[in-house]
Amino acid sequence: MNTELFGIIAMFVLTIAFAIPLGKYIAKVYAGEKTSFDPVFNPIEKLFFKISGIDPKAEMNWKQHMFSLITINMVWFVLGMFVLMNQGWLPLNPDGNPGQTADLAFNTSISFVVNCNLQHYSGESGLSYLSQLFLMFLHFVTAGTGMAAAAVLFMALRERTTDKLGNFYNLMVKSCTRILLPLSILVAAILAFNGTPMTFEGKDTIVNMQGDTVQVSTGPVAAFVAIKHLGTNGGGYYGANSAHPLENPNYLTNIVEMIAQMIIPMAMVFAFGFFLKRRKMSWMIFGVMTIGFLLLTVPTIIWENGGNHAITAMGIDNGAGAMEGKEVRFGSTASAFWSIATTVISTGSVNSMHDSFTPLS
């Protein structure tokens, strides 16, 4: 029990420790100041804007920002519908998954475009690799869109105006290239080295613990899972989400994924303070949010570690807590911590089945 508590405290403390310098870096990116990543990403961003014909220095007012956000999201929605409905004949479909029906493609596409990520399908059997890659693209750009909108708010508060609030496309692209992409590469590398698949081959044949030969879906999982959490997206590669042993293989990957989904929401609060040069205000906001988070987290951990009393009455040992629907490699404490974190920061991913939690949780 003490070890499990130390694990989640370490996760939380490390996230704060990483979020503060990241927040300072994010503030520099949105303020247009020089950063160490400039030599790498300046040429890439210039290429994007040259191809698109967009002037990233053109100032926009709030109406132009909103119009740009809505129109580009509509383009992604239509592209998503096309890919999902036609994945059966499109490339990168080694397992031969059929195209989605119109209503399912509509639900999936619009859900991922608005960063909701509701899934009415099981990823390993419902999508081709091309569809998974397109949803991974939406993981990036929808998170980048939200961060760009926050940056516009930063500028409006600093300049005290609704005009000349930077360029939406410039802010969105920088959010994706300079913030989300480097972090995603780091997280994906850690996941891949710990057993998360990163391949374009089809299903793998394994012999399970019962001695049965089964087909296991693989694919570009590590890259997908990294931005799934960093962008607080939540939509999983597999149907079981981060409870799946290939999406979240061990306790180390659980820590990494937990930090990944919390770090940018925290960093954006600190970025607000650095950008406006009002650090005390950002700490006050962070303090209020943290108190609310702990008021939900602490009781949930206590209830889940207490076990299910109906099962105890049957003479079954509940020493490990209420473990129904939870993974033994994580335990009840880390699962309870995840359940609150993923909800309050609006990620929505799971590493345990919440319908198996105790009623108060």
Side-chain angles (χ1 to χ4, degrees):
M1 177 62 189
N2 290 336
T3 304
E4 290 192 57
L5 285 173
F6 175 78
I8 61 169
I9 292 170
M11 288 184 216
F12 192 63
V13 171
L14 282 171
T15 308
I16 298 173
F18 293 146
I20 295 171
L22 179 60
K24 189 173 184 179
Y25 169 74
I26 290 172
K28 284 185 175 182
V29 169
Y30 292 146
E33 299 175 12
K34 288 186 177 181
T35 69
S36 56
F37 285 111
D38 287 355
V40 178
F41 294 115
N42 277 341
I44 298 172
E45 291 164 2
K46 286 179 181 177
L47 179 62
F48 285 156
F49 293 125
K50 185 177 181 179
I51 294 171
S52 64
I54 293 170
D55 180 6
K57 296 180 180 179
E59 296 280 352
M60 293 181 174
N61 60 32
W62 72 270
K63 293 179 183 178
Q64 291 170 312
H65 273 281
M66 186 171 68
F67 179 78
S68 300
L69 187 154
I70 292 171
T71 52
I72 199 168
N73 272 273
M74 181 58 70
V75 171
W76 294 330
F77 166 70
V78 173
L79 282 173
M81 286 282 292
F82 173 80
V83 172
L84 293 169
M85 290 179 67
N86 295 281
Q87 66 178 5
W89 61 267
L90 288 171
L92 294 178
N93 189 13
D95 299 330
N97 290 326
Q100 290 189 348
T101 58
D103 59 332
L104 181 57
F106 182 92
N107 179 283
T108 305
S109 187
I110 202 166
S111 179
F112 275 76
V113 164
V114 300
N115 202 251
C116 174
N117 313 115
L118 176 69
Q119 293 173 287
H120 285 178
Y121 62 89
S122 186
E124 57 265 54
S125 60
L127 293 182
S128 68
Y129 292 172
L130 179 63
S131 294
Q132 295 277 27
L133 289 172
F134 187 81
L135 295 185
M136 183 173 72
F137 165 76
L138 292 181
H139 276 338
F140 271 99
V141 293
T142 57
T145 296
M147 294 172 73
V152 172
L153 176 64
F154 291 0
M155 292 178 181
L157 291 172
R158 186 182 67 178
E159 305 299 331
R160 299 171 185 263
T161 181
T162 56
D163 295 316
K164 295 183 178 180
L165 299 173
N167 185 281
F168 169 77
Y169 298 107
N170 185 41
L171 293 171
M172 186 198 70
V173 169
K174 283 187 174 180
S175 297
C176 293
T177 56
R178 295 169 184 255
I179 301 167
L180 295 170
L181 182 59
L183 291 172
S184 293
I185 291 171
L186 176 62
V187 172
I190 295 172
L191 294 176
F193 279 111
N194 277 273
T196 300
M198 190 62 204
T199 178
F200 284 107
E201 296 180 3
K203 292 182 178 180
D204 198 3
T205 302
I206 69 167
V207 178
N208 64 18
M209 295 181 70
Q210 295 180 168
D212 299 327
T213 301
V214 295
Q215 298 289 308
V216 178
S217 295
T218 59
V221 185
F224 187 101
V225 175
I227 186 58
K228 157 192 156 183
H229 284 116
L230 285 163
T232 62
N233 295 289
Y237 189 95
Y238 294 102
N241 209 277
S242 286
H244 196 286
L246 294 184
E247 196 163 315
N248 191 5
N250 54 48
Y251 199 82
L252 173 61
T253 60
N254 192 69
I255 292 175
V256 171
E257 291 183 26
M258 189 73 261
I259 293 174
Q261 64 183 298
M262 295 186 75
I263 191 168
I264 289 181
M266 284 189 183
M268 288 297 284
V269 176
F270 294 120
F272 176 78
F274 285 116
F275 191 89
L276 297 182
K277 294 181 171 56
R278 298 186 65 180
R279 295 180 63 182
K280 287 184 179 179
M281 185 177 180
S282 67
W283 274 107
M284 181 190 72
I285 295 170
F286 179 77
V288 172
M289 295 169 76
T290 302
I291 289 170
F293 171 68
L294 293 176
L295 286 173
L296 295 168
T297 305
V298 173
T300 302
I301 290 171
I302 292 171
W303 293 326
E304 292 308 305
N305 280 324
N308 187 317
H309 301 299
I311 292 178
T312 303
M314 296 167 63
I316 299 171
D317 181 21
N318 261 286
M323 284 300 294
E324 181 192 349
K326 297 183 179 68
E327 300 297 305
V328 175
R329 64 189 185 279
F330 306 141
S332 57
T333 303
S335 299
F337 181 78
W338 182 300
S339 73
I340 298 299
T342 191
T343 307
V344 299
I345 62 177
S346 195
T347 301
S349 65
V350 298
N351 73 345
S352 58
M353 299 301 106
H354 294 179
D355 63 343
S356 293
F357 275 40
T358 55
L360 286 174
S361 297

